[in-house]
Structure formats: structure tokens, C-alpha cells
């Protein structure tokens, strides 16, 4: 069951290694949605990007705590492409299909190691990132999820050699890695 990536949501803390990915996405004509600093990074590369707030019709609010936590984002990630009810609801509410999610997590461990300031530590507890990762991994039948920059090379190769097409095996493998990353973050933040 092959799927072609037609849209991507990218929201990462660490931008290194991202340039080649977004260049390939642009070459393939894939719509890119993004937020904040990632959006600025992509725009500086001269690559067209759609702000997530265009999907949500809300700006980033509460000091950046709420950017992606919205049905337009999560519906696009979680909507099953082989379910007529899901597709009808997505159409009814103008929810785009999101085929690729590239999200990493705030540097919680680094923050804890470098400060004991409670306010700084609390702000590095990521909510949207793990939720998007888990949602995309849950819907691996339709969505590719990349949750760590160590997987950028594999994604870049896939984009170059398969022109954005992915197999169910590839999506499932990326999902397994993403669940591991989200679980590890949850354990670290809970400790």
C-alpha cells in the first residue's frame, strides 16, 4: 500500500539537517505547513511555507504554548484516508490531509541539566510535539512521521529515490521509531 506525500507539517526545535529535507519537499511540490521558528527558517531558504495559523485561524497563543493543538491540525494527521466518514468530515471542516509530520521535542533533559529554574523547566515540557508524534504514528497507514533528526537522512533518501512515495513498511518503521521517541520523552518528563 504505497502512498505519495503531498503535504507536510514541520515544527522542530533543532533546525540542523532540515534544509535538505525542505529543499526536497519543495522540489516535489509538497505543501509545507509550519510554525514559528521553523516557519521562519524555511522562509529564509526561499521556500514557500503555509503558516499553521492559516489552518487553525488562530495565532500562536499563550506565549507559544498553543500553536498546533487544534482539530484542523490533528484532524489532518489522524484522518483515515480509506474512511468515507473521515473524508467527508475533513471536507466539511476544511481539514487538509497531512501526509508527513516532522516534529522533534523540546530539549527538556538539556534544560534540566543546565538550570534549576522551575519556570524554564516547565516551559520545556512539550505538549503539542508528543501529541503530533503519537497521532501521526497511530495513523501510520496514511502518514509518515519523523521524530528525530537522526532519521532525516533516511527521509531525504526516500524523497530523492522514491519521489515522495512511501510503502506501508516504511511508514510503520518510522512510526515505531516515533513511538520510542515520544515514550522516552514522556518517561524523562515524568521523572
Amino acid at each position: 500500500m504505497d502512498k505519495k506525500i503531498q503535504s507536510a507539517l514541520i515544527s522542530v526545535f533543532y533546525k540542523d539537517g532540515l534544509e535538505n529535507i525542505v529543499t526536497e519537499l519543495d522540489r516535489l511540490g509538497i505543501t509545507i505547513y509550519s510554525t514559528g521558528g521553523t516557519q521562519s527558517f524555511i522562509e529564509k531558504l526561499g521556500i514557500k511555507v503555509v503558516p499553521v495559523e492559516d489552518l487553525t485561524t488562530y495565532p500562536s497563543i499563550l506565549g507559544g504554548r498553543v500553536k498546533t493543538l487544534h482539530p484542523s491540525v490533528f484532524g489532518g494527521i489522524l484522518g483515515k484516508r480509506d474512511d468515507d466518514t473521515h473524508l467527508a468530515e475533513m471536507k466539511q471542516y476544511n481539514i487538509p490531509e497531512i501526509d508527513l509530520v516532522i516534529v522533534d521535542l523540546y530539549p527538556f533533559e538539556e534544560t534540566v541539566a543546565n538550570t534549576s529554574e522551575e519556570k524554564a523547566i516547565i516551559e520545556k515540557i512539550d505538549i503539542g510535539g508528543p501529541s503530533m508524534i503519537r497521532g501521526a504514528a497511530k495513523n501510520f497507514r496514511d502518514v509518515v512521521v519523523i521524530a528525530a533528526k537522526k532519521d532525516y537522512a533516511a527521509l531525504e533518501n526516500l524523497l530523492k529515490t522514491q519521489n515522495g512515495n512511501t510503502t506501508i513498511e516504511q511508514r510503520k518503521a518510522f512510526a515505531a521509531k516515533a513511538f520510542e521517541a515520544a515514550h522516552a520523552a514522556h518517561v524523562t518528563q515524568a521523572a
Side-chain angles (χ1 to χ4, degrees):
M1 186 169 70
D2 288 1
K3 296 269 182 176
K4 183 161 181 66
I5 297 168
Q6 297 184 53
S7 62
L9 188 147
I10 308 172
S11 183
V12 295
F13 189 85
Y14 298 104
K15 316 297 187 277
D16 49 312
L18 189 60
E19 182 174 351
N20 290 347
I21 299 290
V22 295
T23 300
E24 281 302 309
L25 294 173
D26 183 56
R27 179 185 71 79
L28 293 168
I30 294 168
T31 301
I32 301 172
Y33 300 99
S34 193
T35 62
T38 306
Q39 177 188 333
S40 297
F41 174 84
I42 296 169
E43 289 171 339
K44 286 177 186 170
L45 296 173
I47 294 172
K48 184 179 176 192
V49 60
V50 178
V52 165
E53 62 190 44
D54 285 4
L55 294 180
T56 65
T57 68
Y58 281 88
S60 172
I61 60 173
L62 305 178
R65 283 184 164 195
V66 179
K67 298 183 275 259
T68 57
L69 297 169
H70 192 278
S72 292
V73 172
F74 282 88
I77 293 169
L78 286 163
K80 294 191 286 185
R81 309 325 194 254
D82 62 353
D83 185 311
D84 290 339
T85 302
H86 281 213
L87 294 174
E89 287 178 1
M90 291 170 77
K91 184 176 181 178
Q92 177 183 358
Y93 297 109
N94 297 314
I95 297 172
E97 294 178 6
I98 298 173
D99 305 312
L100 169 63
V101 173
I102 304 174
V103 176
D104 64 6
L105 303 172
Y106 293 158
F108 183 78
E109 288 182 45
E110 291 174 30
T111 303
V112 170
N114 292 321
T115 186
S116 60
E117 184 186 340
E118 185 177 85
K119 182 180 176 184
I121 293 169
I122 287 172
E123 290 310 314
K124 292 300 184 232
I125 297 174
D126 201 335
I127 306 301
S131 298
M132 285 188 289
I133 289 168
R134 286 173 145 319
K138 175 178 181 170
N139 201 20
F140 70 86
R141 297 191 69 75
D142 296 308
V143 180
V144 177
V145 59
I146 303 296
K149 63 184 175 180
K150 67 182 180 182
D151 294 321
Y152 285 2
L155 176 62
E156 182 182 349
N157 182 56
L158 180 148
L159 293 170
K160 285 181 178 178
T161 61
Q162 295 175 208
N163 290 317
N165 287 300
T166 62
T167 66
I168 186 69
E169 292 81 12
Q170 290 166 330
R171 293 190 302 277
K172 195 171 189 177
F174 282 127
K177 290 179 183 184
F179 272 127
E180 287 175 17
H183 177 72
H186 175 73
V187 169
T188 299
Q189 290 178 4

